[in-house]
Amino acid sequence: MKEKKGSKTAKFVAFALAGLAAGAAVYYLFGTKEGRKTLNKAVDGVNGLSKTLKTQAEEGLQRASHLANRAKEEYHRVLTMADGARHDALEKADKYKADAKKLTKKGLKYAEEISKEARSKVDKA
């Protein structure tokens, strides 16, 4: 494809104008007193924004760290509570088991006594 000569010229003119605008901006910012003031204000603004963002990021990290520590403490507290509840439940289960053994022995002894009494009455009769 061949480009038309007018198209090349238009591109060159556009490029030259863009270069001229960039050069004027650079000259204004670096070459004039007012431009340097404007540039310094812009740099100060960027630095201030950077400091603000840094501060907010640090505060966010501190909050996140604090929340993570609280979550860890709560996790350990719940584990301790669960372990205590498990221990209490095992103790109660052992007590109930011992009580059940005593009652069973008492019941068997009572049943044996009744059985002996019944045999004795049967033998007498």
Side-chain angles (χ1 to χ4, degrees):
M1 272 186 171
K2 268 190 168 180
E3 289 188 28
K4 293 182 180 177
K5 187 173 181 167
S7 176
K8 283 185 179 182
T9 305
K11 285 182 182 179
F12 177 76
V13 170
F15 183 73
L17 288 175
L20 184 62
V26 168
Y27 172 76
Y28 173 74
L29 292 175
F30 293 106
T32 66
K33 196 175 203 180
E34 198 61 35
R36 284 190 294 276
K37 284 182 186 178
T38 302
L39 181 61
N40 286 337
K41 284 180 184 178
V43 168
D44 289 345
V46 169
N47 286 338
L49 178 63
S50 176
K51 287 178 185 176
T52 301
L53 291 175
K54 182 180 177 185
T55 301
Q56 288 178 349
E58 287 172 354
E59 289 172 359
L61 284 173
Q62 287 176 350
R63 279 191 229 123
S65 177
H66 177 69
L67 287 174
N69 286 336
R70 282 183 54 198
K72 184 178 176 183
E73 289 170 3
E74 186 66 15
Y75 169 76
H76 287 294
R77 186 183 72 77
V78 168
L79 280 182
T80 301
M81 285 176 52
D83 191 46
R86 181 188 60 85
H87 181 70
D88 290 347
L90 286 173
E91 283 182 352
K92 285 181 182 178
D94 286 343
K95 183 185 178 304
Y96 293 149
K97 181 179 170 185
D99 290 349
K101 276 186 179 181
K102 285 179 189 175
L103 288 173
T104 302
K105 284 181 182 180
K106 190 175 181 180
L108 285 173
K109 188 175 181 181
Y110 183 70
E112 286 175 1
E113 288 174 5
I114 291 176
S115 176
K116 283 180 187 179
E117 237 180 81
R119 277 192 196 140
S120 172
K121 287 182 182 181
V122 169
D123 287 342
K124 285 182 184 179

